[in-house]
């Protein structure tokens, strides 16, 4: 009897202890949606719908305004409100659509939860379609995924829909809706024909049913050769009548499963993927055939411009070379999806010259939310600043101010559809994104897709408050208004986030260097990497062109003339050494090691200085993080701290590897005021950076 009592006591002490630990722990699963209501609100609306019910519930569950307030949801035509935009006021949310009301609700909550006032204001989305591209494979793995396996597809390929699946999809959909994302492509651009089979479409239907509740449309990546691979046809030639018929039937079938299906995303004739060129047809022939099949159902084709047919010596020119001649030949339900830079999601690239140049075809930007080239989910690198730089780049195509943002959101060109895509960083990890700070990219993508004029400063401010502030439990005690918290947590974290991308550029690829990773992992340094048999334009020496005379890729009129793909005055500005921005210097110019930089240093010394600065910046970030312990729960604090330790080590390897390798050509000493290398070059050259 006694023993039983003791056992019970021990047991309850353990439970209490575990609970106590847990109180101080947050696993990040709730993302930026941690706040709960601290007051009551009464919602009135003259109509009902599933989305409006969710909107009502969300407002009630998160309300932090005046206790006992009444809010009216009013759906009426207002010409100033576009698409799923909304108007918010103190006691009213107005929209043309149910979804607009839901977005208005999230804006009201966001303002309450970040301490901003609610005044009469209209907000319209910059892009009509704000889409996540999941590079998820049918076997549950994710191409360039750093946060575990897929939330859509199982490793054992089982297609059974479990309660757990549904719960996760619902959480995912809600998180997307809260930041205005309204589309998801469920599978990898390197797609499997399986996706279009009945069994898989059945699961797609189940996913779409959950996503639809939150206003998210479902899209699929499809394989161009599907007619031959799963349709039993001898060809997939887009002009063949059987192929055309096959796609028409297939599209009809897809819509029978998903009536509001969004459309197809296609990677064709790129990196070994099949496409119309296999049949001597053009991208336009391929895209239009699919567009025609989708048209009766309102679907679109997002045809990717990430192609590189090695006709031109310079890979950076290839997408423009292939697509510009086709401008004007695409159907109006085709959108050309163009990566932000001309090469491939590098830490820094100038914008792709296709933006603003393709004027008779709809064009949409593709950003990469997952950090393939920016330290995976190990490095703390806030990507919003990179996207802001990109969106604000002036293409000059229709005079000054023709920014990429304005050239793609319908302000400059009349596009039937406007859209923006982000390659998702979401997986089964409890915190969804691997690194707690990687959640901020997902958040930033949604916010920028809604409003491409937002600043990263504002986005970071919101995200930090929503993600890290103590959850408000009482009125007037909202943590973001705490001066100490603002000064000693919010301000330093914001500074860290806003500087983090520049730090990464410095320790990986400063001054316009690009694509100098070892191997296919795209994590560690590898300016030396050039295994026999690998296409030259996939190897780092092709990109940096270091030799005893200097370093950099000559894309001027004396070199590959990639500069001529840009509109004046950029063409001349990039071409001329005196006016080329130093951030793009080695992207456009091959320069002597002794070239005098604006700082007065030689190019060699400047390269050394930049790498060294990058390493110091990350160490500073880590130091700052350590001062923040009192403000963060232990679980997230340690998680981030451990990653910062790895990031510091990796940054050091980048610096040591690149400097010692380039030194073999420059034959110059690493300046004395710069920390000398720690890791021997031979060791780094042998190191396997592949994620285990
Ligand atoms: C990069 C990436 C690939 C991806 C490709 C694409 O090359 O490394 O994994 O498939 O981009 O965007 O199609």
């Amino acid at each position: 009897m006694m023993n039983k009592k003791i056992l019970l006591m021990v047991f309850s002490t353990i439970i209490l202890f575990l609970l106590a630990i847990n109180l101080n722990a947050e696993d990040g699963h709730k993302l930026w949606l941690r706040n709960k209501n601290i007051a009551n609100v009464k919602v009135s609306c003259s109509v009902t719908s599933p989305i409006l019910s969710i909107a009502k519930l969300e407002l009630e569950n998160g309300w932090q305004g005046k206790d006992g307030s009444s809010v009216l949801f009013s759906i009426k035509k207002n010409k100033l409100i576009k698409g799923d935009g909304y108007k918010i006021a103190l006691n009213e949310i107005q929209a043309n659509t149910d979804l607009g009301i839901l977005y208005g609700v999230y804006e009201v909550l966001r303002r309450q939860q970040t301490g901003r006032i609610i005044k009469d204001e209209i907000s319209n989305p910059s892009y009509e379609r704000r889409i996540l591209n999941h590079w998820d494979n049918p076997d549950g793995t994710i191409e360039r995924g750093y946060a575990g396996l897929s939330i859509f597809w199982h490793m054992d390929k089982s297609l059974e829909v479990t309660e757990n699946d549904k719960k996760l999809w619902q959480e995912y959909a809600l998180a997307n809706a809260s930041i205005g994302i309204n589309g998801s492509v469920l599978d990898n651009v390197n797609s499997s024909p399986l996706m279009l089979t009945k069994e898989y479409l059945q699961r797609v239907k189940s996913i779409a049913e959950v996503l639809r509740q939150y206003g998210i449309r479902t899209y699929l990546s499809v394989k161009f050769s599907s007619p031959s691979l799963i349709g039993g046809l001898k060809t997939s030639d887009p002009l063949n009548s059987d192929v055309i018929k096959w796609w028409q039937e297939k599209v009809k079938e897809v819509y029978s499963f998903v009536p509001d299906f969004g459309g197809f995303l296609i990677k064709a004739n790129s990196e070994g993927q099949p496409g119309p060129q296999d049949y001597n047809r053009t991208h336009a022939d391929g895209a239009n055939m699919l567009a025609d099949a989708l048209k009766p159902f309102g679907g679109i084709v997002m045809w990717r411009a990430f192609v590189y047919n090695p006709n031109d010596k310079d890979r950076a020119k290839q997408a423009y070379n292939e697509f510009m001649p086709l401008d004007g030949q695409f159907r109006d339900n085709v959108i050309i999806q163009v990566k932000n830079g001309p090469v491939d999601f590098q830490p820094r690239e100038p914008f792709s010259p296709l933006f603003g140049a393709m004027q008779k075809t709809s064009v949409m930007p593709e950003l990469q939310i997952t950090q393939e080239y920016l330290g995976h989910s190990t490095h703390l690198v806030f990507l919003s600043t990179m996207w802001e730089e990109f969106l604000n780049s002036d293409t000059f195509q229709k005079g000054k101010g023709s920014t990429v943002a304005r050239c793609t959101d319908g302000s400059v060109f009349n596009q039937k559809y406007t859209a923006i895509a982000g390659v998702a960083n979401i997986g089964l990890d409890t915190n969804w994104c691997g690194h707690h700070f990687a959640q901020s990219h997902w958040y930033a993508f949604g916010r920028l897709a809604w409003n491409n004029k937002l600043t990263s400063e504002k986005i970071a401010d919101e995200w930090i408050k929503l993600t890290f502030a103590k959850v408000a439990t009482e009125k007037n005690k909202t943590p973001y208004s705490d001066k100490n918290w603002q000064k000693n947590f919010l301000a330093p974290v914001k500074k860290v986030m806003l500087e983090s991308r520049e730090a990464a550029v410095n320790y990986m690829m400063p001054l316009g260097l690009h694509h100098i990773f070892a191997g296919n992992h795209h994590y560690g340094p590898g300016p030396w990497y050039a295994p026999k048999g690998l296409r030259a334009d996939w190897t780092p020496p092709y990109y940096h062109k270091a030799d005893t005379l200097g370093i950099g890729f000559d894309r001027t009129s004396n070199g590959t003339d990639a500069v001529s793909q840009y509109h004046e005055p950029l063409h001349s500005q990039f071409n001329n050494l005196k006016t080329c921005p130093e951030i793009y210097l080695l992207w456009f110019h091959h320069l002597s090691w002794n070239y005098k930089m604006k700082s007065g240093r030689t190019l060699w010394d400047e390269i050394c200085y930049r790498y060294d600065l990058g390493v110091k910046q990350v160490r500073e970030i880590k130091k700052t993080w350590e001062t923040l312990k009192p403000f963060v729960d232990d679980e997230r604090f340690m998680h981030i701290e451990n990653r910062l330790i790895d990031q510091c080590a990796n940054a050091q390897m980048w610096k040591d590897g690149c400097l010692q390798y380039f030194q073999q050509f420059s034959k110059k000493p690493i300046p004395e005021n710069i920390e000398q290398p720690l890791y021997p070059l031979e060791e780094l050259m042998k190191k396997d950076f592949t994620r285990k």
Side-chain angles (χ1 to χ4, degrees), residues 142-157:
I142 303 180
E143 176 141 352
R144 313 300 176 184
Y146 312 106
L149 295 169
S150 169
I151 61 168
F152 298 122
W153 312 102
H154 291 308
M155 214 170 160
D156 61 4
K157 294 203 176 178

Side-chain angles (χ1 to χ4, degrees), residues 135 143-144 188-190 267 270-271 273 304 306 308 315 339 343-345 366 368 372-373 423 515 520 522:
W135 285 0
E143 176 141 352
R144 313 300 176 184
N188 193 357
V189 286
N190 296 317
K267 172 174 178 176
S270 165
E271 298 186 322
Q273 290 300 324
R304 296 177 86 227
F306 179 69
Y308 41 99
R315 178 175 156 191
K339 287 189 181 181
V343 170
D344 192 8
F345 297 138
E366 177 178 319
Q368 198 180 36
E372 173 179 356
Y373 293 103
V423 180
H515 226 310
N520 193 32
H522 300 161

Side-chain angles (χ1 to χ4, degrees), residues 535-686:
R535 267 170 60 166
D537 59 349
W538 282 358
T539 68
Y542 164 86
Y543 292 100
H544 62 64
K545 307 232 184 288
D547 55 27
T548 51
L549 300 177
I551 183 168
F553 201 125
D554 186 355
R555 295 190 165 110
T556 67
S557 46
N558 297 323
T560 68
D561 201 30
V563 287
S564 68
Q565 294 183 338
Y566 290 91
H567 197 281
E568 287 295 3
L570 293 180
H571 176 172
S572 309
Q573 196 190 91
F574 292 154
N575 195 46
N576 184 339
L577 204 43
K578 292 219 171 69
T579 50
C580 181
E582 284 193 347
I583 52 171
Y584 302 135
L585 202 61
L586 303 176
W587 183 281
F588 288 114
H589 296 268
H590 184 82
L591 296 173
S592 132
W593 298 107
N594 290 321
Y595 174 77
K596 260 272 173 2
M597 301 290 294
K598 289 196 184 106
S599 63
R601 300 184 190 98
T602 63
L603 174 59
W604 167 250
D605 283 359
E606 184 75 23
I607 291 176
C608 293
Y609 166 77
R610 290 272 149 198
Y611 273 104
D612 192 55
L613 177 66
V615 173
K616 286 185 176 140
Q617 285 171 312
V618 194
R619 288 188 194 149
E620 213 38 54
I621 289 176
K622 181 167 166 291
K623 249 207 230 144
T624 304
W625 182 251
E626 276 149 17
T627 67
L628 304 176
K629 197 170 187 323
F631 300 96
V632 190
D633 52 284
D634 298 344
E635 190 171 343
R636 285 190 294 179
F637 180 83
M638 279 318 295
H639 205 262
I640 293 162
E641 170 71 4
N642 284 331
R643 276 166 173 67
L644 284 169
I645 293 170
D646 288 346
Q647 185 177 356
C648 282
N650 189 248
Q652 173 93 48
M653 289 178 203
W654 268 98
K655 172 191 154 186
D656 292 359
C658 293
L659 288 189
Q660 292 177 97
Y661 170 77
F662 291 138
Q663 194 176 27
Q664 297 173 342
F665 302 99
S666 78
K667 308 237 185 292
K668 291 175 182 302
I670 293 173
E672 267 168 25
N673 56 350
I674 275 163
E675 224 176 80
Q676 298 300 305
L678 186 74
Y679 297 100
L681 182 61
E682 309 75 64
E683 198 181 290
L684 292 171
M685 287 176 72
K686 277 192 241 135

Side-chain angles (χ1 to χ4, degrees), residues 1 26 32 46 58 95 117 153-154 207 318 329 333 369 484 524 603 615 627 634:
M1 185 68 190
E26 292 215 31
W32 48 87
S46 56
E58 286 291 293
I117 52 164
W153 312 102
H154 291 308
I207 299 172
Q318 292 161 3
Q329 295 184 25
N333 59 333
I369 305 173
N484 180 39
L603 174 59
V615 173
T627 67
D634 298 344

Side-chain angles (χ1 to χ4, degrees), residues 406-436:
R406 298 188 63 248
C407 284
T408 51
D409 69 7
S411 315
V412 176
F413 305 112
N414 209 359
Q415 297 202 172
K416 172 144 186 194
Y417 297 101
T418 60
I420 186 164
V423 180
N425 63 347
I426 296 156
L428 278 179
D429 275 8
T430 309
N431 71 15
W432 299 90
C433 303
H435 194 307
H436 289 284

